[in-house]
Structures are given as structure tokens and as C-alpha cells.
């Protein structure tokens, strides 16, 4: 190594010795699966040995304090006017935030997939864009039967105006509070449900749809009705 900038030193958590440290300034290196990565086998070493850029490989740098930083290196060989290899330049991109976002996304998917509640999403035209196993169990429709279909499919006809109101409020950016209503299953049964609606926003913070959580409260409503009659 003959040069590195302050951002590289911050990523590594150390300062390799110029003219002596080889290939990568990291204290220790690992592959994404946790296996140790020898410095002479890292992407920069491969770029120099093979005389070609190395792209698409991720690695993990461990700092002397034990913290680890996932990154993507972009080593590119340098050649002189005669075409002889004289070195290489590397750009290291810290992907910690991306990895955290991916992990959070995976956790969210696990929660949605394992939930007993019906969790679905729709666009601002009321077209269903996702449908979890809980929704399949509650309403009787498979995901492939509902994705791309109107949410009105699970609303009794007399409740269609309710959905129009919800969509209008979402388009205006207004909050839709938790409420109780009635939905219809594939076999025609009516269910009392508790519904929570959350807006879905794009990268520009524009509302592009909504996610819904529906919980079956039919048994609860029946119990309340029976107690009221007593």
C-alpha cells in the first residue's frame, strides 16, 4: 500500500504502514459467510494477480476493536504506457446501512409471513399487491387469487362506499384510524374484523398505497352480544 485516504482509515479502524502493509489495510478480513479471508486472497490481491478488475465481491473488515464493517471493494489494475502492470487502485464502499436495511426487511417478512392476522397491501386504486398466509387462512383466498384483484372482493356490497372513503383519505394524505368493520370470506361468510391501516410511501415520501392488518373479532362480538342480551 502506497496511499490511502482518511475515509479508508476510518473504515479499517487503523492505519496500515505505507510501503509495508500489503493488498488491504484491514486488520482482519472475512468473507460474508464469516470465513477468514487471507489478505493475499482478497479482491485487491486477485486484481493484481489476474491483472483485471474484480467486481461484485463483498467482504467484511474487522477493526482492532472487534467491530466489523461489511464492504464492497472495487479494485482496478493500473498499467503504464507500455501496458505493464504497475499497481492498482481500490475503492471501498461501506454497506453497513444496506445490510441493516436488508436484515430489517428480512425480519419484517418473517413477521408478516408468520402472523395469524391477515396482512395485505394495496395501491391507491384498491388493487391488492401482497397477501400473507394469515389472509389466506382468514378469507379463504390464496395469494395468487387475490394479488392484482380489487380489495372490494372481500367487502360486502353494502361496505363498498367505506373503501371508497378510505382510498380518498389516503390519496389526500390523511390518517385513517383503527376501526372495526365487516369483511366477507371466499365461501360467503361474514366476519367482524378489526382493521389497522398504515400508508406506504415511496422514496420521495409520497403515499403510493397502504398496508392493512385485519384481525378476526367475530367470536368477541358474539360474546359481547350474548352478554348484552343477558
Amino acid at each position: 500500500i502506497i496511499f490511502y485516504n482518511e475515509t479508508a482509515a476510518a473504515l479499517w479502524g487503523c492505519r496500515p504502514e505505507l510501503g509495508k502493509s500489503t493488498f488491504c489495510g484491514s486488520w482482519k478480513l472475512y468473507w460474508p459467510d464469516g470465513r477468514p479471508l487471507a489478505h493475499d486472497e482478497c479482491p485487491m490481491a486477485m486484481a493484481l494477480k489476474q491483472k483485471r478488475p474484480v467486481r461484485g465481491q463483498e467482504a467484511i473488515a474487522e477493526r482492532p476493536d472487534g467491530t466489523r464493517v461489511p464492504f464492497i471493494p472495487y479494485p482496478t489494475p493500473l498499467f503504464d504506457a507500455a501496458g505493464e502492470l504497475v499497481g492498482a487502485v481500490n475503492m471501498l464502499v461501506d454497506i453497513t446501512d444496506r445490510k441493516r436495511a436488508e436484515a430489517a426487511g428480512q425480519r419484517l417478512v418473517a413477521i408478516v409471513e408468520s402472523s395469524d392476522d391477515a396482512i395485505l397491501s394495496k395501491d391507491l386504486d384498491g388493487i391488492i399487491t401482497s397477501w400473507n398466509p394469515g389472509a389466506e387462512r382468514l378469507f379463504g383466498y390464496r395469494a395468487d387469487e387475490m394479488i392484482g384483484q380489487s380489495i372490494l372482493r372481500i367487502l360486502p356490497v353494502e361496505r363498498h362506499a367505506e373503501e371508497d372513503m378510505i382510498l380518498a383519505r389516503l390519496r389526500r394524505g390523511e390518517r385513517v384510524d383503527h376501526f372495526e368493520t365487516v369483511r366477507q370470506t371466499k365461501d360467503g361468510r361474514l366476519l367482524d374484523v378489526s382493521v389497522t391501516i398504515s400508508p406506504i410511501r415511496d422514496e420521495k415520501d409520497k403515499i403510493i398505497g397502504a398496508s392493512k392488518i385485519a384481525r378476526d373479532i367475530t367470536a368477541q362480538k358474539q360474546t359481547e352480544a350474548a352478554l348484552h342480551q343477558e
Side-chain angles (χ1 to χ4, degrees), residues 9-22:
L11 185 148
W12 294 324
C14 63
R15 293 180 173 277
E17 188 174 355
L18 296 181
K20 291 188 177 181
S21 298
T22 56

Side-chain angles (χ1 to χ4, degrees), residues 79-212:
F79 300 90
D80 63 15
E84 294 295 323
L85 180 70
V86 294
V89 61
N90 202 0
M91 177 176 67
L92 311 177
V93 179
D94 184 343
I95 57 172
T96 301
D97 290 342
R98 193 189 83 181
K99 288 296 184 180
R100 287 174 179 165
E102 289 175 355
Q106 291 168 357
R107 287 194 295 272
L108 179 58
V109 168
I111 291 170
V112 170
E113 290 298 305
S114 62
S115 175
D116 290 331
D117 294 331
I119 302 177
L120 58 103
S121 61
K122 63 183 180 181
D123 64 18
L124 291 179
D125 293 318
I127 302 302
I128 295 170
T129 55
S130 69
W131 186 263
N132 79 330
E136 293 186 353
R137 290 189 293 269
L138 183 59
F139 298 115
Y141 291 101
R142 300 188 311 274
D144 61 359
E145 293 179 287
M146 293 303 292
I147 293 175
Q149 301 297 316
S150 172
I151 191 70
L152 295 178
R153 195 170 188 179
I154 60 171
L155 271 69
V157 174
E158 63 272 16
R159 297 276 179 168
H160 284 193
E162 174 187 291
E163 184 63 18
D164 292 338
M165 178 271 294
I166 291 171
L167 290 173
R169 292 183 65 179
L170 285 170
R171 292 190 191 102
R172 293 195 298 266
E174 296 178 10
R175 176 185 174 88
V176 179
D177 293 324
H178 165 90
F179 63 97
E180 294 180 359
T181 186
V182 176
R183 293 293 179 260
Q184 189 167 8
T185 66
K186 185 177 181 179
D187 61 12
R189 290 179 297 113
L190 296 179
L191 300 176
D192 291 302
V193 294
S194 171
V195 177
T196 301
I197 299 178
S198 301
I200 298 174
R201 302 176 183 272
D202 64 13
E203 65 278 1
K204 296 180 180 179
D205 204 36
K206 178 182 178 182
I207 295 175
I208 58 173
S211 64
K212 284 189 173 183

